Amino acid sequence: GDSVTQTEGLVTLTEGLPVMLNCTYQSTYSPFLFWYVQHLNEAPKLLLKSFTDNKRPEHQGFHATLHKSSSSFHLQKSSAQLSDSALYYCALSDLNNNNAPRFGAGTKLSVKP
Amino acid sequence: GGIITQTPKFLIGQEGQKLTLKCQQNFNHDTMYWYRQDSGKGLRLIYYSITENDLQKGDLSEGYDASREKKSSFSLTVTSAQKNEMAVFLCASSPKGSGNTLYFGEGSRLIVV
């Protein structure tokens, strides 16, 4: 079945440094990948999602590239801000199977001054 | 824009009790979902519904029932509350043609005493 792996439970870094949060997946059919962000005491909300035409999605300085050869969709940002501190979830939806999205365990990003 | 409303925000019950969480959306989305959020385990799918009166089991459906009474509402029942079930329950909906992009409610926290 479909699954998502986020290997880092907690990432702590200093403001201004680059961010990379890992996401790998297993999918039987045509995967659609998402990153959701959840700030403290708020609902998760969509940060970005993969395109079917291999374009690189970007939002609020974050970007991610779907690499089917390595089954990865890592989230990156060139310079972390204090306001980026939050919980980040990678999720997978299988287009051909109309399966509900499955999530990774989440990565807590903590940005320090 | 629309909103997803989950009630109650906090649900306190006794062990063995049957407890119900409710979710309403005014996006007019077809598909609705219930996820359970536990720290370090990500979001796990309990039930989802593609349309009114449809129910699909997720990965964590045992011990839960769900009901999609109408397009705008989706309820989740814990059939016999246990202390190890204390978690946040998130309701979400997704529009057609979005690749199952999720719009979340703010969550309901279940406390079992």
Side-chain angles (χ1 to χ4, degrees), chain A residues 88-105:
Chain A
Y88 290 80
Y89 288 107
C90 184
L92 164 72
S93 182
D94 197 321
L95 290 183
N96 283 354
N97 215 13
N98 198 31
N99 274 346
R102 262 62 177 188
F103 284 77

Side-chain angles (χ1 to χ4, degrees), chain A residues 8-20:
Chain A
E8 310 116 331
L10 171 65
V11 171
T12 303
L13 46 77
T14 305
E15 189 180 15
L17 289 181
V19 179
M20 179 155 154

Side-chain angles (χ1 to χ4, degrees), chain A residues 2-102:
Chain A
D2 296 345
S3 66
V4 178
T5 302
Q6 293 180 252
T7 51
E8 310 116 331
L10 171 65
V11 171
T12 303
L13 46 77
T14 305
E15 189 180 15
L17 289 181
V19 179
M20 179 155 154
L21 305 184
N22 291 322
C23 173
T24 56
Y25 65 89
Q26 282 190 310
S27 173
T28 309
Y29 300 104
S30 299
F32 213 156
L33 274 293
F34 306 81
W35 277 100
Y36 288 87
V37 58
Q38 185 178 27
H39 288 93
L40 194 60
N41 297 323
E42 293 183 10
K45 57 187 179 187
L46 180 70
L47 181 59
L48 48 81
K49 63 184 180 182
S50 62
F51 289 103
T52 52
D53 59 359
N54 295 324
K55 283 184 190 167
R56 189 179 83 165
E58 295 193 33
H59 185 63
Q60 295 177 346
F62 286 95
H63 60 90
T65 303
L66 180 61
H67 288 290
K68 292 187 179 178
S69 57
S70 57
S71 298
S72 67
F73 191 59
H74 304 320
L75 183 68
Q76 294 178 273
K77 187 176 185 183
S78 58
S79 175
Q81 297 177 289
L82 296 175
S83 57
D84 294 331
S85 293
L87 192 49
Y88 290 80
Y89 288 107
C90 184
L92 164 72
S93 182
D94 197 321
L95 290 183
N96 283 354
N97 215 13
N98 198 31
N99 274 346
R102 262 62 177 188

Side-chain angles (χ1 to χ4, degrees), chain A residues 32 34 36 38 43-46 49 87 89 93 95 98-106, chain B residues 33 35 37 40-43 45 48 50 57-59 90 98-102 104-106:
Chain A
F32 213 156
F34 306 81
Y36 288 87
Q38 185 178 27
K45 57 187 179 187
L46 180 70
K49 63 184 180 182
L87 192 49
Y89 288 107
S93 182
L95 290 183
N98 198 31
N99 274 346
R102 262 62 177 188
F103 284 77
Chain B
Y33 312 78
Y35 287 91
Q37 182 176 33
K41 292 184 181 175
L43 305 182
L45 180 68
Y48 66 107
I50 297 168
K57 288 186 178 180
D59 305 315
L90 289 166
S98 69
N100 297 331
T101 299
L102 299 175
F104 283 93
E106 294 199 342

